[in-house]
Structures are given as C-alpha cells and as structure tokens.
Amino acid sequence: MKVKYIWAILIALSFFGCDDNTEGVGLGMLPDEDHIDVISKNYDVFTESVLSGPVYARTDTAYIGRYNDSQFGIYQAGFLTQLNCLDSIKFPDVYDSKTKKGLMVSDETLSTEIVFAYHKYFGDSIAPSHISIYELNKNIVDDPKIHYTDINASEYKGDFLAGGHYSAANLGVSDSIKASDFYEPQVRFNLEKGIGDKILKLNREHPEYFYDNEAFIENVFKGIYAECDEGSGSILYVDRVSLDIKFEIYKLDSVGNILQTHNDKDSIETVRLSFVGTKEVFQLNKLESSPEILEAKVQEKNHTYIKSPAGIFTQVTLPIDDIINDSEVQNDTIHSVKLIFDSYNNDDTSEFPMGKPNKLLMIPSSEKLSFFEENKINDNITSYIASLNNKGQYVFPNVSKLITSLSTNKEKALEEAKKEAGTNWNQQEWENKWKEENKDWNKMVLIPVTLDTTIEQDYYGNKIPVVINIRHDLKPEYVRLKGGDTNAGGDKLTLKAIFMSLNK
C-alpha cells in the first residue's frame, strides 16, 4: 500500500468504528486502484456458570450481618480487624492543682466501647439481629491467603468482649437526631470498664507499647472479631470500627486553673481517645453462603448466573479456533469485535430483592486470583470493564485486542513447536497436547467488581475518570444472563467481528 493512501484508510476506519452498519461507508474516499473489503461475521460463544470459590476481599469496608434470600439461601458476614494506634499516643496526665499541669480528673477511665459506623446496608432496616465481639488471641500475619473470604476466623477468636442487638434503622435514635447534618448511624457495644483502665495503665507504665501500630498490637490489643450469631435480615456495610475509651478532664483557664460552673462546681467534660481500624492495619472479611444452593444454580444449564459475594461467575469460551481457521478472513485484519451479554429481569419476589451488579470485569480465567492479588487494572487488551446499561445489557464494545492476543499466543506456540519438531511434526497431536496443557487458554470469566476512580485531565483539558483500583464486589447482588448450553434450552450467543483488508 502506498504511504499517501494511509490517511484514507484511517478515515475509513473511523467511520467503521462509529456504526454497526459499515457497508460502503467511506469507501468512496479511496483512489480507484485501492479499495477496502469489509466482512462482518458472527461466531458462536459458549457460556457456563462456575463457582467462584473464596475471593480476594481486601477492602476498606467491613461487612456484618445475616440475610436469608429466597433464591440463594443464607448469606452471613463477619470480620476481623486490627486497630490503628497513632504514633506515641498518650493519655493526659492527672491534673495537679499545685503545678497546674495535667487534665484528667482521676487516673481511671469512665467507660470503653466499640463502635461500628455505617452509612449503607442491605435488607430489612428494622429486623433485629445480635452481634458478638471477641478479642483476637494472636497476631494476624501478612499473607495473601488471609484476604480471602474463607479465612478461618475461629483460629483468631479469643475472649468474649461484648455483644448486643441492633437494627440497621437504629430504632433507638430519635428522628430529630437522625435529621441532623452530623448524624452518623452507629452500633455501639459497651465493654467492661476494666479494659479501658488496663489500656490506660499500660500507657502510663509502658509508653513504648504505643510507639506505633506494631508495638500496640503486639503488647496491648490485637484487634477484634465480630460475628452475627442471632437473627437475620440485614447486612451492614461498616465504614469505621473504633475502640473508644472515655475519660473525664477538667476545663482550665489560660493559666491552668479549673473553671467553675455557674453553681461553683468544677467544670468537667467527657472526652475520648480512639483506636480506629484504618488502611494501615489488617481488616479481613469472612463471608459465607449456602454452598449446596450455589451448586444447584450452577447446574442450571439454560442460562448463567453471576452472584456476589464469593458465589458464582460466568465463564465465557471464546471462538478463537473458529476465527483462526476461518479461511474467508485468514489474511484480513480484525477491526472490531463486539460482545454483548443480555440479562433477564431478576425474578426475586422477596421484600428486599437483590440488585444486579453495576460493573463486570472480564479477564482470563487463569487470572481470576492473581488479577486481584496483584492489584491490577484493566488494560483493554486482556481485561475489560462493562457497565449495566438501561437495556439490562453488559456490552464490551470492542475486544479485538483480546482476540488478537489469544490467537497470536497460540500461533506463536504452534510455530515454535513446529520448528522444534522438524520432520516429525504432527499438528493434530500438537493441538491435542496444547488443549490439554492450556485448558483455559480461550476462557474468560465475568466477575462483579467495584471501581475506585480519580479525576484527571486529558490533553485537551477535559476531566475524565481514571480507574485506580478494582475490587471484588462484596455486596449481595446477582444477575441471570442469557446463554448457557443451547442443547439445554439456552440462548445462542455470538460475538460480531468486523474484518478489513486493503485490496489493490
């Protein structure tokens, strides 16, 4: 092809990328001696439901509660968390009237409580449930395995600390307080006063224990495990966990004298010192579903499911061999490949039905663990994101780079094997061996995810969202997709590929 005609090809490609109806568009711009052939072909895609197994759940949100769903059975959530100690944190000294130094009224605490703060939840807001909290009995050691949803919480479960009933609607709080701009839904658990007094004493006698998180966790407080052990109906999405130690201090004037109230009493106020679960320490979610029900759903072959959290993925087998071996397009270039997954309306008739996942990640089946462990981001080559549109579809508008990448990988392996075999080459034997050793080479999985984004400016100054983190969606959600086994009544799925070639 002559260089001077490259601009014409690019213009033609831009037209093809804008509309599915590509016939004849832009071809009149090419010189008479050159023309572009365009072929649109459909290839069958096979989908099936597969159990997700435990998923990597490194997240800032702690999930707790229990919910019994009419379709998927019981889902239960609990969590373990360590608590952050600000470096060299210190309780105020007891007030000394002679030196005018210190603040505390006495060398003891007033009360100690654990607080779960949340803004969102799933399920019945007024359903009562009970939570029990235990102190961790050993340190959490960093390892990728601890971040999976099947963590063995009993291994860390120590002494009982506190328990209490709750409802997501916080029925004990008045409507006037809830209407305040400063209101934050919370569940509070009172601990024995001696726990706070012990921490205060250690702070006085061993300030080195409070030097940093590591020292605090090792010597003072290893963290908590919380579980829902009674009731069912809601799951709290906890934003903040804190251990709050309350104590009294005097209010002083500018020279250190105790201020007096209007009736000549010492002016005293209650303050707290908090140890909070943050990104600097471990927070681990334990999520459990009904395995026998999930297995039964996987066996439904006339559609597929995606169920979160840690439930079911949809596996997609792409027709790479069909494309490679299609003689009609073997010498053509793949311009675009569109893949659409249509969903059924959720037929959940319960009072609090689950919604559909908003975002799906499509990645190679072989990377369903490593992608999250290594904190990868979609590259639009072998990993893609699709959003649920208003037609109930998840559309991947162009996965041509994926098709090219998978076919290139196989063709490269074939050429290397052929060169190595020489005159002993047997392609059918190699095909059989290749498929045995690379069973998932053409398989992708659809995974429900949540995205963390930031806003950046492009070259023209436009603000665009940029994905900075992808995590498993841990909210109770599901979607039923068209597809599955056509022999069992499933809908036929196809991908639409557009090929282009320059002919002279």
Side-chain angles (χ1 to χ4, degrees), residues 60-72:
D60 300 334
T61 303
Y63 297 83
I64 189 162
R66 183 188 291 161
Y67 184 79
N68 194 352
D69 180 71
S70 60
Q71 286 204 72
F72 291 93

Side-chain angles (χ1 to χ4, degrees), residues 107-165:
D107 204 18
E108 64 177 352
T109 63
L110 195 63
S111 64
T112 301
E113 60 184 4
I114 289 176
V115 179
F116 298 167
Y118 61 96
H119 292 88
K120 296 180 180 179
Y121 62 90
F122 170 79
D124 186 351
S125 64
I126 63 174
S129 297
H130 184 274
I131 291 175
S132 291
I133 301 176
Y134 302 85
E135 185 173 0
L136 300 187
N137 59 11
K138 68 176 185 177
N139 293 344
I140 299 172
V141 179
D142 192 11
D143 185 291
K145 293 180 181 178
I146 65 174
H147 296 287
Y148 281 86
T149 51
D150 63 344
I151 182 171
N152 183 8
S154 61
E155 183 181 340
Y156 299 88
K157 188 174 177 180
D159 294 336
F160 176 80
L161 289 176
H165 290 89

